[in-house]
Amino acid sequence: MAEFILMMRYAILPSGIPDTICKQFDRLREHMIEAFMDEYEQHGGLTYEDVQPWILPVAARKLNADGIIEEEKMLLVQEIRKGLAILA
């Protein structure tokens, strides 16, 4: 779930996709996460609060993944810094 949340929240769409589609996707990112988490909670019993502690380590792991462009890496670094600040 943490992987899905990070993908939906920070994935950069490929170049060539019309700007209107990118903007619409950006507006819907958090709504899609919420809808998916609602379904996941109903069927699996886990809430966002259960998944949230995994966001930081999964974001750190994703930094080493192949195919991640620099812009997405920067977003992941911001997420990691935010998570570390909360822990401090």
Side-chain angles (χ1 to χ4, degrees), residues 20-75:
T20 54
I21 292 173
C22 291
K23 287 179 181 178
Q24 181 69 10
F25 183 75
D26 287 342
R27 282 191 295 272
L28 294 174
R29 288 177 189 257
E30 292 301 319
H31 297 292
M32 289 186 280
I33 292 169
E34 288 174 21
F36 199 87
M37 283 304 308
D38 287 346
E39 279 296 310
Y40 196 75
E41 184 175 352
Q42 286 179 8
H43 297 287
L46 291 176
T47 66
Y48 184 84
E49 290 74 26
D50 296 323
V51 175
Q52 203 282 327
W54 290 96
I55 299 288
L56 179 60
V58 171
R61 184 198 50 78
K62 281 180 68 72
L63 284 177
N64 291 321
D66 292 334
I68 303 274
I69 64 171
E70 286 302 313
E71 186 178 357
E72 190 172 343
K73 285 182 182 180
M74 295 301 295
L75 294 170

